[in-house]
Amino acid sequence: MSCCVPNCLFRDKYLKQSRFYIPKDLSLRYEWEKALKINFQNNNSRVCRQHFRDSDIIDSWVSGTGDSKYTVCLKIPKLRNGAIPIPVPDSPDNLISSINSINIDHCYAAKKPQENNIAETIHNTGIINNLKRNFPLFNIESIPKRLKVEQKITLLNLNIPTKWFCDIDETLIINNQKQIIISFHKLGSYTKNVTQMRCIEKQLILNEESDIFLYAFDKKIELSDIGVNSNIKIDNHTEIEKIIKIFDTISLCKGAVPSNKYRDVKLSTIPIERCGMWWHSKCITVLPKDDSSNSDTCIWCKRLWYIVKSEKLRQRNNQSIRTFFSPTKKKTISKIRKAKNTITKKFSRAHLKITCLQNHLKNIKDKMKKITHCNLDKVLQNSDIPNCQSELIHEIFKAAKLKNPKNRKYSENWLLLCMLFQIRSPSGYKFLRDQNILPLPCVNTIRKHLLAVEIGCGFDNNFFKLLKKKFDLKSEQQKQGVIVLDEIFLRENICVNSRTLTYMGLEDFGEELNNTNSSQKANHALVLMWQSLADNFVQPIAVFASHGTVKGVDLAKLVIRAILLMENAGGQVVGLTSDGATTNRTVWNLLGICPNSENFKNYFENPYDSSRKVFVFSDTPHLLKTIRNRLYEKKQLLVHPSKTPIKWEHYQNVYKIEANSLTKACPKINKNHFELNNLSKMKVKYAAQVLKEAFAFINEWESNLKNQLITKNDFLTQMTARLGFR
């Protein structure tokens, strides 16, 4: 933003000059307005440093003392607190008039006196003022001593080349002091492609310190570029004449192309625009003397000219840009092109295959529409296809004839198959329906049909009718199986069935026992399940909800009822499996099972067929847990009266010794096997690992100890360690 003070010489925002924001403090802002005699319009106004004293501006930062003292120049100057600008004179009009009444002398070469009239015309029309305003010469921070008047008059009588002009400026105010600057410049020629304005082609500037600055087309160049020593000091006017003559003979690059003619051209490299022309960013400006081409353009600007012309031609012909690559990149590009061609060929082949398959599918659909229901039944009967597959084919043909898939009607058998499929694999059902592979009904439809099925506790006669159809397809060996029963603990909860307006969560034995109308909350569930011996067929057959465990008498009645129903459905009950709970042992006693060794009996007569027996088994996982828990609580277990008892202390000793040993005979044993709680007592894994690994190790250790092969504290011998790692 430029300086906000009117008639300031640094109001041009392109002039490099420090500017300071106006203060936010209202009292200090009033002092600024009073000194500058203006009213600030907004808070973003700025005032340049020319309106402040040097003592009010902080240009450096000092730190340290003595030898460690150092000064850092600030990149952005700052104002001291409470600084006030220098007051503006009371009569600004007089100041402006004095600035405007500047004596500008234009001195022309003595060899061409006829050009004085042209120079006066240029001076009177104000073109020189515009040139000076548009092309700032330089910025001088310090004010040296003034040249004498005799030296100034001598400079006016210099013998300079033709078309060179002299301009003396005495009005450049810096820090409230005047600076005399002498400028020698040569205007460029008119060009028909450029706007009708002549720019300064060459310019030499001399200040009061006799420093020389050279500019070519508004670009600063060094004295060494024209073959003059850069450290030269001007002592007399002959040296100035010599430098001007050398500068006049130097050939300069005139630029590539006019900027106003090719502004619509998009270039990858951004050119530099000066004096209505485009220059390359690497333009050398001063052409070499040994250039035999006699061209007024450097090699970089020639390249820019070629790029602009080519790009203009491409845009006119709608052509793409041609890119050149190195040999290594060409190999990579060729590989990419080959891969692209391969993918294109694969895509075309796949597209042809897809088109052929679509046409083939369309023909099949047309044929399916023409097939009638009677013809389809004949084909299926002759093909010996199972009923479920024939039902699927019927549904596929029905779906093919319908245009609208909604509100489709399904047969009862197909709905039953879909319900079983949804129960077996919900994700597979969803995939086949989403991909339109099979004409499956919506999941909500399946749920509605499932909710229509009455589900309750007890034995379901309709279920056993369906199970009988299942057994009709089995062989005699596949019909044989066992009934497995077990009780699980439930959390008490009551809810209302909105369809039947009944309570759910109460004790319920179905219609099997007399206490069906109990109002107690159920916290146990008894599950009866069928397990086939010669077939992979497992099916729950009944469930009962009870408050507490089922009594032994009631459980015996339910077991007999289950055996009769399974035998009536076509199954052959060979055995009964349960854990060693108290109620189950009561059932064993009621059925005539005797676990004693004297009167051992592990079967009872089949109530459906007296010629067959039903054997009773106690499941192995519960036996392992029972043995381990008994050993943990009693600390010893007597297996046989003639043998020494098994002690829990032996297992603990093995664990304690192996806890600090790298080689372990029982690596799976940890503290969870010995610090038992209610949850760990229920885990079969802990019981099996203790009784399997540690038991074999302890037996070997005791036998070696008895034969005096090892001592009592010698646990990890070579023999026992090898045995423990098996």
Side-chain angles (χ1 to χ4, degrees):
M1 182 178 288
S2 61
C3 181
C4 65
V5 179
N7 302 318
C8 179
L9 296 178
F10 291 91
R11 285 182 63 85
D12 191 354
K13 63 180 179 180
Y14 296 104
L15 292 177
K16 294 183 179 180
Q17 188 71 8
S18 300
R19 298 175 179 88
F20 306 102
Y21 282 100
I22 62 175
K24 296 182 179 179
D25 187 7
L26 297 179
S27 60
L28 186 59
R29 183 184 296 186
Y30 175 74
E31 295 293 335
W32 282 38
E33 292 178 348
K34 184 178 179 181
L36 298 175
K37 294 181 174 56
I38 59 174
N39 292 325
F40 298 120
Q41 300 297 329
N42 51 45
N43 296 329
N44 295 327
S45 301
R46 300 184 190 181
V47 179
C48 66
R49 66 177 296 162
Q50 301 302 326
H51 301 281
F52 294 91
R53 300 176 181 85
D54 293 340
S55 59
D56 292 337
I57 300 174
I58 302 174
D59 290 325
S60 61
W61 176 72
V62 181
S63 178
T65 57
D67 296 336
S68 61
K69 182 178 180 180
Y70 58 92
T71 304
V72 178
C73 295
L74 297 179
K75 191 173 183 179
I76 301 176
K78 299 180 180 179
L79 277 178
R80 297 187 184 276
N81 294 332
I84 300 175
I86 300 172
V88 176
D90 295 334
S91 56
D93 296 335
N94 297 331
L95 179 62
I96 296 172
S97 61
S98 62
I99 293 174
N100 292 333
S101 59
I102 297 173
N103 295 324
I104 301 176
D105 297 331
H106 296 278
C107 300
Y108 308 102
K111 295 181 181 180
K112 298 289 182 178
Q114 64 273 14
E115 295 182 0
N116 290 341
N117 295 331
I118 300 175
E120 291 177 0
T121 304
I122 294 173
H123 170 64
N124 294 331
T125 55
I127 294 178
I128 296 297
N129 291 333
N130 293 332
L131 289 174
K132 290 192 298 179
R133 191 179 301 112
N134 294 332
F135 301 98
L137 303 181
F138 57 91
N139 188 7
I140 302 174
E141 298 292 340
S142 61
I143 303 298
K145 295 181 179 180
R146 298 180 178 277
L147 291 174
K148 294 182 179 180
V149 180
E150 294 82 2
Q151 294 178 349
K152 183 175 69 173
I153 296 173
T154 304
L155 289 174
L156 295 177
N157 296 324
L158 288 176
N159 185 14
I160 59 178
T162 58
K163 298 184 181 180
W164 279 79
F165 305 98
C166 178
D167 183 13
I168 300 176
D169 192 351
E170 299 179 341
T171 60
L172 183 61
I173 300 176
I174 300 177
N175 295 336
N176 296 326
Q177 296 182 11
K178 291 185 178 181
Q179 169 78 24
I180 297 177
I181 295 174
I182 303 175
S183 172
F184 300 92
H185 54 271
K186 178 182 179 181
L187 298 178
S189 59
Y190 286 102
T191 306
K192 62 180 181 179
N193 294 328
V194 188
T195 57
Q196 301 299 322
M197 183 185 72
R198 299 179 69 183
C199 60
I200 297 178
E201 180 180 349
K202 299 177 182 179
Q203 187 177 25
L204 185 146
I205 298 173
L206 180 67
N207 62 4
E208 293 183 356
E209 293 182 346
S210 300
D211 295 330
I212 295 178
F213 302 92
L214 300 180
Y215 290 87
F217 290 109
D218 201 23
K219 179 182 179 182
K220 186 178 180 181
I221 60 176
E222 301 296 335
L223 289 172
S224 59
D225 295 338
I226 63 173
V228 180
N229 187 8
S230 58
N231 297 325
I232 188 172
K233 290 292 183 180
I234 304 301
D235 296 332
N236 49 45
H237 65 280
T238 56
E239 294 181 356
I240 297 177
E241 291 180 357
K242 182 179 178 181
I243 294 173
I244 293 174
K245 289 179 180 179
I246 294 173
F247 193 20
D248 184 56
T249 58
I250 294 298
S251 299
L252 301 178
C253 177
K254 301 298 179 62
V257 292
S259 59
N260 60 347
K261 188 177 179 181
Y262 298 95
R263 290 192 182 276
D264 57 338
V265 178
K266 296 181 180 180
L267 301 175
S268 58
T269 58
I270 301 175
I272 299 174
E273 183 178 359
R274 296 196 306 268
C275 304
M277 298 290 290
W278 272 353
W279 272 266
H280 198 279
S281 59
K282 296 182 180 180
C283 178
I284 58 177
T285 307
V286 179
L287 298 177
K289 295 181 179 180
D290 56 352
D291 189 4
S292 60
S293 60
N294 296 326
S295 176
D296 57 352
T297 308
C298 67
I299 186 172
W300 294 104
C301 291
K302 286 181 180 179
R303 292 183 182 180
L304 179 61
W305 175 85
Y306 175 76
I307 292 171
V308 172
K309 294 286 186 180
S310 302
E311 187 64 27
K312 184 71 174 179
L313 183 61
R314 290 192 190 98
Q315 291 182 4
R316 185 185 303 169
N317 299 331
N318 294 326
Q319 296 179 354
S320 60
I321 299 175
R322 185 180 177 185
T323 309
F324 298 93
F325 299 99
S326 61
T328 55
K329 290 184 178 180
K330 283 183 178 180
K331 292 181 181 179
T332 306
I333 292 172
S334 62
K335 291 181 181 179
I336 295 173
R337 287 175 178 172
K338 289 180 181 179
K340 180 184 176 182
N341 294 333
T342 305
I343 294 172
T344 304
K345 291 179 181 179
K346 289 182 179 180
F347 175 77
S348 60
R349 288 195 294 267
H351 183 69
L352 290 175
K353 288 183 179 179
I354 292 171
T355 305
C356 294
L357 291 174
Q358 288 178 350
N359 295 332
H360 185 60
L361 181 61
K362 185 178 179 181
N363 296 331
I364 292 174
K365 287 182 179 180
D366 295 338
K367 291 180 181 180
M368 290 174 64
K369 290 180 181 179
K370 296 178 181 179
I371 296 176
T372 60
H373 185 72
C374 298
N375 295 334
L376 182 61
D377 290 337
K378 292 180 181 179
V379 173
L380 295 176
Q381 289 177 2
N382 297 329
S383 301
D384 295 333
I385 297 176
N387 295 331
C388 59
Q389 295 183 9
S390 62
E391 192 69 31
L392 172 61
I393 294 172
H394 276 291
E395 292 296 330
I396 291 174
F397 272 86
K398 288 181 182 179
K401 295 179 181 180
L402 295 176
K403 295 182 179 180
N404 187 8
K406 296 182 179 180
N407 299 325
R408 187 186 303 170
K409 294 182 180 180
Y410 303 96
S411 61
E412 294 181 358
N413 294 332
W414 178 243
L415 284 175
L416 181 60
L417 291 174
C418 292
M419 285 190 288
L420 295 176
F421 185 26
Q422 168 66 16
I423 295 171
R424 185 68 178 269
S425 177
S427 60
Y429 187 92
K430 183 177 182 301
F431 175 78
L432 294 177
R433 174 175 168 77
D434 294 341
Q435 301 298 326
N436 292 326
I437 298 175
L438 294 178
L440 300 175
C442 180
V443 178
N444 294 332
T445 304
I446 298 297
R447 289 176 181 172
K448 290 179 182 178
H449 285 82
L450 290 175
L451 291 174
V453 179
E454 294 183 2
I455 301 174
C457 297
F459 297 105
D460 189 359
N461 294 325
N462 295 326
F463 165 74
F464 286 100
K465 290 179 181 179
L466 295 175
L467 189 61
K468 187 175 183 179
K469 295 181 180 180
K470 180 75 173 178
F471 279 125
D472 292 341
L473 303 175
K474 302 290 183 180
S475 62
E476 292 297 327
Q477 290 79 12
Q478 292 176 345
K479 292 180 181 180
Q480 295 179 358
V482 296
I483 295 177
V484 181
L485 60 95
D486 194 8
E487 282 188 310
I488 58 176
F489 180 78
L490 302 177
R491 184 176 58 186
E492 294 183 357
N493 187 22
I494 295 179
C495 61
V496 178
N497 189 349
S498 59
R499 293 191 302 109
T500 59
L501 298 178
T502 57
Y503 290 102
M504 299 177 64
L506 300 177
E507 190 177 24
D508 188 6
F509 287 93
E511 299 178 356
E512 309 304 326
L513 300 177
N514 295 327
N515 54 351
T516 55
N517 296 325
S518 176
S519 60
Q520 293 182 342
K521 295 181 181 179
N523 53 14
H524 283 75
L526 174 64
V527 181
L528 299 176
M529 187 170 60
W530 169 262
Q531 172 68 60
S532 180
L533 296 178
D535 190 12
N536 187 15
F537 178 55
V538 180
Q539 178 64 49
I541 58 176
V543 62
F544 302 93
S546 63
H547 181 76
T549 58
V550 181
K551 296 180 181 180
V553 178
D554 296 336
L555 183 58
K557 294 178 182 179
L558 296 176
V559 169
I560 297 299
R561 176 66 174 167
I563 294 174
L564 293 175
L565 291 174
M566 288 301 300
E567 291 285 346
N568 189 30
Q572 297 179 8
V573 180
V574 177
L576 177 66
T577 303
S578 64
D579 56 9
T582 305
T583 55
N584 295 333
R585 291 180 182 178
T586 304
V587 174
W588 295 350
N589 293 330
L590 294 175
L591 295 177
I593 305 300
C594 183
N596 297 330
S597 58
E598 298 176 356
N599 299 321
F600 181 75
K601 183 182 179 182
N602 63 342
Y603 63 90
F604 62 92
E605 183 180 336
N606 193 327
Y608 186 82
D609 186 2
S610 59
S611 61
R612 291 188 285 113
K613 300 177 182 179
V614 178
F615 294 89
V616 178
F617 304 95
S618 181
D619 58 336
T620 306
H622 285 83
L623 290 177
L624 291 176
K625 290 190 295 183
T626 303
I627 294 172
R628 192 275 315 274
N629 295 338
R630 176 68 179 273
L631 183 61
Y632 174 74
E633 293 174 358
K634 301 296 183 179
K635 303 303 178 184
Q636 64 179 7
L637 181 63
L638 183 61
V639 180
H640 195 271
S642 61
K643 295 183 179 181
T644 57
I646 301 173
K647 296 182 180 180
W648 184 253
E649 181 183 359
H650 296 165
Y651 297 95
Q652 291 180 338
N653 291 336
V654 172
Y655 169 69
K656 290 178 182 179
I657 293 174
E658 287 192 344
N660 299 323
S661 177
L662 296 176
T663 58
K664 296 182 179 182
C666 305
K668 295 182 180 180
I669 304 300
N670 52 39
K671 65 177 182 179
N672 295 327
H673 293 76
F674 300 97
E675 298 177 1
L676 300 177
N677 51 28
N678 293 332
L679 182 61
S680 59
K681 286 181 180 180
M682 297 297 294
K683 290 189 176 182
V684 183
K685 179 178 70 174
Y686 292 160
Q689 289 174 350
V690 168
L691 297 178
K692 178 183 177 182
E693 295 189 6
F695 186 72
F697 172 77
I698 290 174
N699 284 341
E700 183 68 19
W701 174 76
E702 287 182 345
S703 63
N704 292 334
L705 183 63
K706 185 176 181 180
N707 297 329
Q708 296 181 356
L709 298 177
I710 58 175
T711 61
K712 186 176 181 180
N713 295 327
D714 191 4
F715 273 85
L716 291 175
T717 61
Q718 185 177 3
M719 182 66 68
T720 55
R722 188 186 303 112
L723 180 62
F725 279 113
R726 288 179 183 175

